[in-house]
């Protein structure tokens, strides 16, 4: 039986914000069916990038850290390695197989970022968070490292479908209250590239027609609360309008 073709609209953007001089975030959109990257101008356009195919797009968001240039280099390198590794994988209709391929790509990206940080003295200790996603049939497959997140908006209800690999999240999971967990600040438990290996968290989520998916760094979710995220992602805003509104909200929050 031939699988139903997916119909997906993708919009994305990154912004340096109000505080930093350098943008350490990097995002990447790729067309797995055509084995090519999507140009930034396409997914940043007024209408976003429209894709129809057997496989959904590959989406990658990274938030780098480390030194003057290290964060920028780590996030871009990680995203490019994710694409290099996923581009060569065979097409599969099995979400669990795709999840394993995403995990492998993340571990290769970790190796390459870590190797560069050890080769270049000025890049020692650099790393990046990772939120990577693909779609197989009606399943969204996610691999995450650190505190970059994925959300799904369905019928106006927003659900965070990834769990932060952060000390704050670990304390909440262990039964501590919000005030106790807040003392952890923004400490994350894993970052891609910092150590010799990494253990990405994998998630497989059922999607329905009309769902909206958000991948973002803490530059958005750390400043804009879930109710505002849901409102700005919802109809009547188009996907591209939502991206512009979300960035404006993060900037307005400082």
């Amino acid at each position: 039986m031939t699988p139903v073709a997916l119909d997906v609209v993708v919009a994305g953007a990154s912004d340096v914000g109000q505080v930093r001089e350098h943008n350490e975030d990097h995002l990447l959109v790729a067309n797995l069916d055509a084995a090519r990257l999507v140009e930034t101008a396409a997914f940043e356009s007024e209408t976003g990038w429209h894709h129809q195919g057997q496989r959904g797009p590959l989406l990658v968001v990274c938030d780098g850290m480390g030194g003057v240039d290290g964060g920028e280099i780590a996030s871009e390198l990680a995203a490019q390695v994710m694409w290099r590794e996923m581009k060569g994988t065979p097409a599969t209709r099995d979400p669990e197989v795709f999840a394993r391929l995403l995990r492998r790509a993340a571990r290769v990206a970790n190796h390459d970022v870590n190797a560069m940080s050890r080769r270049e003295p000025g890049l020692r200790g650099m790393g990046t968070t990772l939120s990577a996603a693909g779609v197989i049939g009606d399943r969204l497959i996610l691999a995450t490292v650190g505190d970059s997140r994925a959300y799904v908006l369905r019928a106006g209800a927003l659900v965070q479908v990834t769990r932060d690999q952060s000390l704050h999240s670990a304390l909440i999971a262990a039964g501590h209250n919000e005030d106790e967990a807040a003392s952890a600040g923004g400490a994350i438990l894993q970052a891609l590239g910092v150590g010799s290996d990494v253990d990405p968290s994998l998630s497989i989520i059922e999607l329905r027609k009309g769902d909206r998916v958000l991948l973002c760094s803490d530059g958005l979710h750390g400043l804009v609360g879930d109710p505002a995220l849901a409102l700005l992602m919802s109809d009547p805003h188009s996907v591209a309008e939502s991206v512009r509104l979300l960035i404006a909200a993060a900037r307005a929050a400082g």
Side-chain angles (χ1 to χ4, degrees), residues 26 28 37 58 60 62 73-89 101-116 119 128 130 132 192:
H26 192 82
L28 178 149
L37 284 172
L58 176 71
V60 180
C62 294
I73 292 170
S75 60
E76 182 172 4
L77 176 59
Q80 294 293 340
V81 174
M82 290 295 296
W83 167 233
R84 183 191 77 205
E85 294 300 310
M86 292 303 295
K87 177 173 60 174
T89 60
L101 293 171
L102 265 188
R103 174 195 277 142
R104 179 190 168 278
R107 294 181 73 182
V108 174
N110 180 84
H111 172 273
D112 286 12
V113 174
N114 182 255
M116 181 178 281
R119 278 197 313 269
T128 180
L130 169 74
L192 191 151

Side-chain angles (χ1 to χ4, degrees), residues 16 42 46 69 74 76 88 105 109 116 122 124 135 137 158 177 197 202 223 227 230 232 236 240 246 249-250:
V16 72
E46 293 288 324
D69 298 317
E76 182 172 4
M116 181 178 281
R124 288 277 158 80
V135 183
L158 185 72
N177 62 40
D197 201 3
L202 299 176
L223 291 161
L232 297 177
L246 291 167

Side-chain angles (χ1 to χ4, degrees), residues 30-77:
N31 182 340
L32 288 171
D33 283 325
R36 63 176 176 80
L37 284 172
V38 178
E39 293 184 6
T40 303
F43 62 76
E44 286 189 348
S45 70
E46 293 288 324
T47 55
W49 174 64
H50 191 184
H51 172 66
Q52 287 183 308
Q54 299 300 334
R55 291 197 286 178
L58 176 71
L59 310 171
V60 180
V61 170
C62 294
D63 177 7
M65 64 202 80
V68 176
D69 298 317
E72 291 177 72
I73 292 170
S75 60
E76 182 172 4
L77 176 59

